[in-house]
Amino acid sequence: MWGRLQRTEHVLRVPARSMHRFAVLAKQTAASPGCKRPGSCRNGRRDVALRCIASLVEGKQHQQRFTQRTRPRREGLLRWNSAAEASAVKINEKTSREKILTLESMNPQVKAVEYAVRGPIVLKAGEIEKELRKGIKKPFTEVIKANIGDAHAMGQQPITFLRQVVALCTYPNLLDSPSFPEDSKKRARRILQGCGGNSLGSYSASQGVNCIREDVAAYIERRDGGVPADPDNIYLTTGASDGIATVLKILVSGGGKSRTGVMIPIPQYPLYSAAISELDAIQVNYYLDEQNCWALDVNELRRSLNEAKAYCNPKVLCIINPGNPTGQVQSRKCIEDVIHFAWEEQLFLLADEVYQDNIYSEECQFHSFKKVLYEMGPEYYSNVELASFHSTSKGYMGECGYRGGYMEVINLHPDIKGQLVKLLSVRLCPPVSGQAAMDIVVNPPVPGEESYAQFIKEKESVLNNLAQKAKLTEDMFNKVPGIQCNPLQGAMYAFPRIFIPSKAIETAKAHEMAPDLFYCMKLLEETGICVVPGSGFGQREGSYHFRMTILPPVEKLKIVLEKVKDFHIQFLEEYA
């Protein structure tokens, strides 16, 4: 074989370097084990080697012929290459066409949406955090985000029982663990039995897991002193926001002066103005009475309604109780007046009651719209259409990330009820883990159960702590010249009024900023404290505010309030 290979090399004039490579290949091939036919493998591998050598030589000869043919045309080839490159540039120009979706072509209703709680001030806070991580020196070492009611992000510890039940639902193998109390296992088994395949990972019915809706109805009956609640009127939602947006979506109709008007309080939670903009509905403002602890005045409702009738069809009235951002708690008399007004003017009532557990003032008590409506008699209870909302995100739970919530809708026309279920079906179902968390909010441990003592201790600790911080915030703000803060009766925010000198207002205008946004931006840049300007919630012309959460731990909250005080005094001196 080697003799033949050598002769082949001589005849075909294979370069020695290439021959060496194929000789190595031939040796490796001949040495390969596993052949069952002696002699045949040797001959076969020799043929393979010869074919490889022939292929190499043929390629070499082809390259030489090509070089001889193309040498005279090299100049033309260069010209061809230049033309091809120019053509490619033109093709690239064609492929980089204008975008279909631009600010000019996008849905104008979406572009009109604003959400101050996560607006420009928060984006700036994110930029400053990045700079701090890079080692850029600032007058502070951290950004304190007091802009949003995210309890756990501010250090509040989860309620043990709630997390135990959700953990058991998420990983049922833990049901055999002695580390979990029996009452938590009992609730987890009940929830899992209501889920397809006994799994939290399955879709639920669009209205929510049936047994959880039953638990919500039972909770409402207990809360309202026996006022009946039908599980069929309960809809589990992705937080309260999902329910509010869904009901508004089904309410909005008409065009021109017949377009639906939605009455919202000013100051308001920006979810409402954002949803109204997205739906291209008409926002109808009614002002809360700041001089009377942000009370709701029915005369103001009537003024707002009558003015709005000139340009829209007001048919929805939104109430936030306890108030966000204002922290007031409506009296029973006020709620009765609002219900009578809605009945008289044929308005659909939306009652945002997500802070119903957050009551701090001893003179205040939470009254649900559902209960007051029922107690006003059948003329009201059988006719006024009411949707009320609750959530896992606030209260003593602070479980924002689970996105659990529910709404109860009463006196809905049967045909509209079918349309509402259809609309909810489009999004399949709310997160089932959030539904499980909502179940524990409405079905917590009761006296006699193993987890009751710890649950009550944790719940009262959170609420007492919030009450202490509400009083601390109110007192400290009211000691600062140029800041005035109403009593924080409920919820988890302060909305103090701030005095801004005319020189600062002119400077803000020069920067094309609202005066309170200018104030809050300087506060952020000089202290690292992130709050939300009142203009993001709405306020009377010529008044300025900011919203700040009271959620930071007491010692950190004291530092925050001291920094705000020092900043404000310096701000007044700078722009006096």
Side-chain angles (χ1 to χ4, degrees):
M1 176 178 175
W2 291 113
R4 291 188 184 183
L5 282 173
Q6 290 166 356
R7 286 195 298 273
T8 302
E9 181 184 10
H10 176 73
V11 172
L12 297 179
R13 302 182 186 278
V14 178
R17 235 176 337 186
S18 299
M19 186 60 224
H20 172 73
R21 286 200 300 270
F22 282 97
V24 173
L25 173 64
K27 286 181 182 179
Q28 291 173 343
T29 306
S32 298
C35 181
K36 296 180 181 179
R37 294 176 56 198
S40 63
C41 290
R42 184 176 60 235
N43 294 334
R45 285 168 175 77
R46 182 194 63 195
D47 293 341
V48 168
L50 289 172
R51 284 198 299 272
C52 290
I53 294 167
S55 175
L56 176 69
V57 173
E58 184 181 353
K60 180 77 173 178
Q61 292 171 341
H62 175 74
Q63 183 182 0
Q64 291 171 345
R65 288 195 300 271
F66 179 79
T67 303
Q68 291 169 354
R69 288 198 310 269
T70 58
R71 189 177 291 117
R73 294 186 297 168
R74 188 170 295 167
E75 186 178 341
L77 182 61
L78 290 172
R79 287 197 299 271
W80 181 87
N81 284 339
S82 299
E85 288 174 5
S87 177
V89 169
K90 290 181 179 179
I91 292 171
N92 286 336
E93 286 176 354
K94 290 180 181 178
T95 55
S96 60
R97 58 177 172 73
E98 292 183 359
K99 298 293 185 186
I100 294 171
L101 185 60
T102 65
L103 283 174
E104 289 70 32
S105 67
M106 71 175 287
N107 184 338
Q109 274 66 61
V110 174
K111 189 161 59 173
V113 170
E114 294 182 0
Y115 189 63
V117 174
R118 293 178 182 258
I121 197 83
V122 183
L123 296 177
K124 181 65 176 178
E127 292 174 9
I128 292 175
E129 282 183 317
K130 290 178 182 177
E131 291 174 353
L132 286 171
R133 285 195 292 270
K134 290 177 180 177
I136 298 174
K137 296 297 181 183
K138 301 284 181 182
F140 45 87
T141 58
E142 66 171 330
V143 171
I144 300 174
K145 291 184 177 177
N147 61 295
I148 195 166
D150 191 346
H152 292 182
M154 286 290 181
Q156 179 179 311
Q157 294 303 300
I159 299 297
T160 302
F161 187 77
L162 187 149
R163 287 296 182 89
Q164 286 175 333
V165 176
V166 175
L168 290 165
C169 290
T170 304
Y171 190 58
N173 288 358
L174 294 173
L175 288 165
D176 297 326
S177 171
S179 300
F180 291 80
E182 284 304 316
D183 48 359
S184 68
K185 293 179 180 179
K186 178 182 176 181
R187 280 164 178 74
R189 290 190 183 99
R190 171 178 162 79
I191 293 169
L192 288 172
Q193 286 168 6
C195 297
N198 291 326
S199 173
L200 218 60
S202 61
Y203 288 126
S204 75
S206 298
Q207 228 174 307
V209 175
N210 188 60
C211 67
I212 299 177
R213 289 165 49 224
E214 290 173 355
D215 288 344
V216 170
Y219 161 80
I220 292 171
E221 287 191 12
R222 291 194 308 272
R223 181 198 68 186
D224 293 343
V227 175
D230 185 351
D232 201 38
N233 292 333
I234 306 298
Y235 304 81
L236 300 179
T237 56
T238 308
S241 302
D242 173 46
I244 292 165
T246 300
V247 173
L248 283 174
K249 191 178 293 184
I250 211 166
L251 277 161
V252 172
S253 64
K257 289 186 177 181
S258 66
R259 190 66 171 160
T260 297
V262 182
M263 300 180 68
I264 63 173
I266 298 297
Q268 53 105 20
Y269 178 51
L271 162 69
Y272 292 93
S273 55
I276 290 166
S277 292
E278 185 179 351
L279 296 169
D280 197 24
I282 307 299
Q283 178 175 319
V284 179
N285 297 336
Y286 66 88
Y287 290 93
L288 301 176
D289 185 359
E290 184 172 10
Q291 303 305 316
N292 191 21
C293 200
W294 300 111
L296 196 163
D297 184 358
V298 173
N299 291 325
E300 170 61 14
L301 287 179
R302 187 163 284 110
R303 177 207 64 79
S304 173
L305 179 77
N306 290 336
E307 288 183 6
K309 285 179 178 178
Y311 56 86
C312 69
N313 174 26
K315 64 180 182 183
V316 187
L317 173 58
C318 300
I319 312 290
I320 308 174
N321 181 48
N324 175 11
T326 45
Q328 86 286 0
V329 178
Q330 304 295 357
S331 69
R332 180 189 172 87
K333 173 68 167 59
C334 175
I335 294 173
E336 287 179 352
D337 290 345
V338 169
I339 291 173
H340 177 74
F341 177 79
W343 174 81
E344 187 178 47
E345 298 291 345
Q346 294 186 311
L347 297 170
F348 193 111
L349 271 175
L350 300 187
D352 182 339
E353 299 174 334
V354 302
Y355 296 99
Q356 59 189 260
D357 289 306
N358 300 105
I359 309 294
Y360 311 127
S361 174
E362 293 181 359
E363 296 95 38
C364 296
Q365 180 182 351
F366 172 74
H367 302 279
S368 77
F369 269 76
K370 165 84 176 295
K371 180 182 181 181
V372 176
L373 178 64
Y374 186 84
E375 292 174 347
M376 287 177 70
E379 185 177 13
Y380 294 93
Y381 182 67
S382 301
N383 291 291
V384 175
E385 294 151 283
L386 169 68
S388 53
F389 308 89
H390 196 17
S391 168
T392 63
S393 301
K394 310 304 176 186
Y396 58 89
M397 307 79 64
E399 294 284 6
C400 304
Y402 277 116
R403 309 308 301 130
Y406 76 74
M407 61 181 177
E408 181 185 25
V409 190
I410 60 174
N411 291 326
L412 208 58
H413 189 285
D415 292 343
I416 295 300
K417 193 168 186 177
Q419 293 295 317
L420 177 57
V421 172
K422 178 187 73 176
L423 189 58
L424 292 170
S425 299
V426 173
R427 55 94 160 109
L428 296 176
C429 70
V432 184
S433 56
Q435 295 184 49
M438 190 76 248
D439 186 75
I440 307 311
V441 174
V442 299
N443 186 24
V446 296
E449 288 189 311
E450 184 179 351
S451 301
Y452 179 74
Q454 182 182 11
F455 170 77
I456 288 297
K457 181 181 178 182
E458 293 176 351
K459 175 182 176 181
E460 291 181 349
S461 173
V462 170
L463 294 176
N464 290 339
N465 190 256
L466 284 169
Q468 177 189 352
K469 291 187 285 190
K471 183 63 175 169
L472 172 69
T473 303
E474 174 195 337
D475 290 346
M476 289 193 70
F477 273 148
N478 285 326
K479 291 176 183 177
V480 183
I483 297 183
Q484 179 186 346
C485 185
N486 272 320
L488 309 185
Q489 298 173 334
M492 48 183 64
Y493 312 99
F495 196 68
R497 183 169 183 168
I498 52 175
F499 172 71
I500 298 182
S502 56
K503 183 180 176 183
I505 294 173
E506 292 302 317
T507 306
K509 287 180 180 177
H511 286 85
E512 298 183 345
M513 299 169 73
D516 49 8
L517 174 59
F518 175 72
Y519 177 96
C520 293
M521 197 66 80
K522 283 186 69 69
L523 175 66
L524 172 64
E525 291 171 343
E526 295 181 20
T527 69
I529 297 169
C530 180
V531 298
V532 189
S535 50
F537 301 88
Q539 53 199 351
R540 283 193 181 274
E541 186 73 26
S543 69
Y544 306 106
H545 304 77
F546 65 79
R547 190 191 81 163
M548 187 191 85
T549 179
I550 62 171
L551 290 172
V554 172
E555 292 308 313
K556 180 169 278 191
L557 181 61
K558 287 179 181 178
I559 294 171
V560 169
L561 294 170
E562 284 291 340
K563 284 188 172 185
V564 172
K565 180 192 77 172
D566 294 342
F567 167 82
H568 186 78
I569 292 172
Q570 183 181 343
F571 183 86
L572 293 182
E573 291 175 354
E574 181 180 353
Y575 293 99

